[in-house]
Amino acid sequence: MSKTNTAPANATDSSLHVTVPGSDTAVDLAVTDGAIRATDLRKIPAGDGALLSYDPAFLNTASCRSAITFIDGDKGILRYRGYPIEQLAGKASFLEVAWLLRHGELPTQGEYDTWVHDITYHTYVHENVKTFLQGFRYDAHPMSMLCSAVAALSSFYPSAKNIHDPEERNLAIIRLIAKLPTLAAFAYRHIKGLPFVYPDNDLSYVENFLSMVARMTEPQYEARPVFTRATEILFILHADHEQNCSTNAVRAVGSSHVDPFSAVAAGIAALYGPLHGGANEAVLRMIQDIGNVKNVPAFIEEVKSGKGSSRLMGFGHRVYKSYDPRARIVKALADEVFKEVGVDKDLEIALELERIALSDDYFVSRKLYPNVDFYTGMIYRSMKFPMDFFTVLFAIARTAGWLAQWEEMLLDKEQKIARPRQIYVGPGERPYAGTLKY
Ligand code: MLT
C-alpha cells in the first residue's frame, strides 16, 4: 500500500537505530517515505554474512515507487493519479482513464481525440492470428487463448523489442490496448463456434467490443445501453490496482527488458489464477454449489464453523480492511443492471449471502464484506457472458494499468532486473552417489 505517496520523493522521515546484541555494531537506517531500504540491512552483520529481509508473498515490501494508483486499505480509498475512483467511474470513459494512468494527467480534447483515433485504427489483427486461434480446441479456456495470442503478437511486431525508443513504446501500447478486445472477442466466438466478427471502427471502444462478441447478421450491432455503461464502468474499476499479482508479474518480466507483448502475456497468465482474476468466476461457482436460496443459512453455518469444504468467495480483500471502494460502485451498478434484466435464482442466492454477510457479527467483526469480485461476476453473468470469460474481461481493462506500470518501471532509474534473494534451506554439500545406469 502506498499510503505515503504524497510525500516528496526521497524525503528522509527519520532513521531507525539498530544495535546488534553481543557486538558493538550500531547502524542508523534511513526511513524514507515510511520505508527502510532492504539493501541498507546489509550494513547489519548476521550469521556468516549480512542481514536479509525475508518476505514471502511481499506482505510488507514495496517493490517500487509508483505515482499511478493510490490505495489506503484501512480507509477504503482508491485513486488513479490522485482522482477518486468514484469520480472517474461516474464521469470518465475507459480510454480517458487509460490515458490518465499512462500520462499522469487528464488528456486535453486534442490528445484524447488522437488517442481514441489511434486506438480505433489499430483494432484489427493480422489474418494469421485468426488461423492460429482456430487451432485451439472448441473447449479451450479463453484466458489460455488470450495469453497465447498476446504472446504471439510479439512475433508480429518485432520492433516492439526496442523498448527504449519512446515511439516504439507508444505504438506497442496503442496496439495492445486496441487489439485486446479483438483477441478476447475472437476467443469468445471460437468457443461458441461462431464466425469471427471484425472490429467496427465507427463504434466506441466498449461498443465495438460488445459488437465483436454478439453481432450476428445485423449491419451494425447496438448493445443495450445499460450493458455498454456497465462494461465501461467495470473496465474503469479494473484498469489498475497498484502492485497486485499480475502487475507485479508484468513489472518483473518486463524488468528483463523483453518486449511489452511478452510482459503483458505474463500478466495475463498471472491474472488467470483463481486467487487473482479468477475470483469472480469462483464466486459464481460457489453460488451454483449452494443451489438454492434456502441452502444459504446452512452454507453460512458451515463457513463459520470452519468444518467442511465450504469457502466464502468474493468476501474480504488483502489490502482493503474496511471496504473495497470498487464494490460500492459495482453494487449500485449491479442494482441498475438487475432492474433491467430481472433477478433469477442465482442472483437471489447472491443477494441473500450479501445480506447475511453485512449483518452477521461473525463477518462484520472479521471485516469480511463483499469485494469487487462478488458483484462483477453477477453483472457479467446477467450480460450472458460465460463464467470462464469473466477473467478475460478483467484482462482487457487491466492491460491499461499493466502498460502504465510497465513504462513507469522502465523509466525508473532505480529499477534493475527483478531478482529476489532466497534463504537456502536444502542439504549442505554432499558427494554425488547416483546408481542409475545409462
Ligand atoms: C486487483 O484488482 O488486482 C485485485 O483486487 C487483487 C489485488 O489488488 O491484489
Side-chain angles (χ1 to χ4, degrees), residues 241 244 276 317 326 394 398:
H241 210 235
N244 58 83
H276 190 7
H317 191 279
R326 300 169 298 176
F394 191 162
R398 188 54 60 86

Side-chain angles (χ1 to χ4, degrees), residues 206 210 223-232 337 341 379 382-383:
V206 164
L210 296 176
R224 285 170 79 158
V226 71
F227 289 165
T228 308
R229 180 176 144 74
T231 311
E232 189 95 46
V337 174
V341 300
I379 297 180
S382 309
M383 295 174 73

Side-chain angles (χ1 to χ4, degrees), residues 184-428:
F186 281 11
Y188 176 94
R189 303 283 293 201
H190 173 75
I191 294 157
K192 293 272 175 198
L194 293 168
F196 296 148
V197 175
Y198 286 107
D200 180 342
N201 288 345
D202 290 330
L203 298 176
S204 75
Y205 188 80
V206 164
E207 287 167 333
N208 172 47
F209 168 61
L210 296 176
S211 157
M212 291 187 290
V213 164
R215 185 168 157 198
M216 296 305 288
T217 53
E218 58 275 53
Q220 187 162 59
Y221 180 77
E222 270 181 56
R224 285 170 79 158
V226 71
F227 289 165
T228 308
R229 180 176 144 74
T231 311
E232 189 95 46
I233 293 178
L234 292 173
F235 279 8
I236 292 172
L237 298 182
H238 274 145
D240 196 51
H241 210 235
E242 51 122 293
Q243 305 312 312
N244 58 83
C245 175
S246 56
T247 300
N248 184 53
V250 171
R251 279 182 174 258
V253 172
S255 77
S256 73
H257 288 180
V258 73
D259 68 87
F261 294 97
S262 305
V264 167
I268 296 173
L271 192 69
Y272 189 4
L275 294 187
H276 190 7
N280 51 14
E281 187 179 333
V283 171
L284 263 281
R285 293 202 192 281
M286 169 189 75
I287 285 170
Q288 286 182 349
D289 286 348
I290 296 173
N292 193 300
V293 73
K294 69 178 190 317
N295 301 333
V296 171
F299 173 81
I300 292 281
E301 283 318 308
E302 195 177 315
V303 169
K304 282 162 66 170
S305 72
K307 296 185 191 129
S309 57
S310 298
R311 281 193 59 201
L312 189 61
M313 306 303 293
F315 285 76
H317 191 279
R318 169 97 154 247
V319 292
Y320 294 117
K321 299 297 170 223
S322 57
Y323 201 79
D324 182 338
R326 300 169 298 176
R328 194 172 285 124
I329 302 166
V330 188
K331 159 84 178 125
L333 188 63
D335 290 343
E336 249 179 71
V337 174
F338 303 153
K339 212 185 298 161
E340 272 214 26
V341 300
V343 175
D344 66 5
K345 174 174 75 65
D346 285 355
L347 208 47
E348 271 176 25
I349 297 173
L351 296 174
E352 181 61 4
L353 277 175
E354 181 204 30
R355 191 190 63 74
I356 295 181
L358 292 178
S359 55
D360 186 316
D361 197 46
Y362 175 91
F363 298 101
V364 176
S365 63
R366 287 171 175 74
K367 302 191 166 157
L368 286 173
Y369 46 81
N371 63 32
V372 69
D373 302 310
F374 185 74
Y375 300 106
T376 49
M378 295 293 144
I379 297 180
Y380 286 142
R381 187 176 160 282
S382 309
M383 295 174 73
K384 303 277 179 265
F385 281 115
M387 263 193 278
D388 58 8
F389 202 69
F390 297 172
T391 320
V392 172
L393 297 157
F394 191 162
I396 298 174
R398 188 54 60 86
T399 297
W402 288 331
L403 290 165
Q405 300 266 356
W406 167 76
E407 196 171 37
E408 185 182 67
M409 179 273 305
L410 278 183
L411 299 178
D412 180 346
K413 299 247 179 320
E414 277 200 302
Q415 291 292 340
K416 296 186 178 1
I417 185 165
R419 174 45 172 105
R421 303 292 305 276
Q422 64 165 13
I423 296 173
Y424 177 70
V425 293

Side-chain angles (χ1 to χ4, degrees), residues 11-24:
T12 302
D13 307 334
S14 59
S15 66
L16 184 69
H17 186 69
V18 182
T19 52
V20 182
S23 88
D24 20 340

Side-chain angles (χ1 to χ4, degrees), residues 110-179:
E111 285 167 340
Y112 182 68
D113 293 345
T114 308
W115 175 238
V116 173
H117 173 275
D118 291 349
I119 288 179
T120 306
Y121 286 91
H122 279 93
T123 49
Y124 274 65
V125 291
H126 193 288
E127 282 291 289
N128 289 1
V129 171
K130 269 177 38 189
T131 318
F132 72 72
L133 285 178
Q134 274 156 346
F136 278 87
R137 273 175 61 131
Y138 69 96
D139 59 352
H141 196 291
M143 278 299 272
S144 228
M145 295 179 70
L146 189 70
C147 183
S148 319
V150 171
L153 283 190
S154 130
S155 71
F156 287 84
Y157 305 110
S159 66
K161 68 165 83 71
N162 300 323
I163 54 166
H164 299 297
D165 176 343
E167 278 181 28
E168 285 289 353
R169 275 206 309 273
N170 190 45
L171 186 56
I173 287 173
I174 287 170
R175 282 185 167 137
L176 271 157
I177 294 177
K179 293 181 200 310

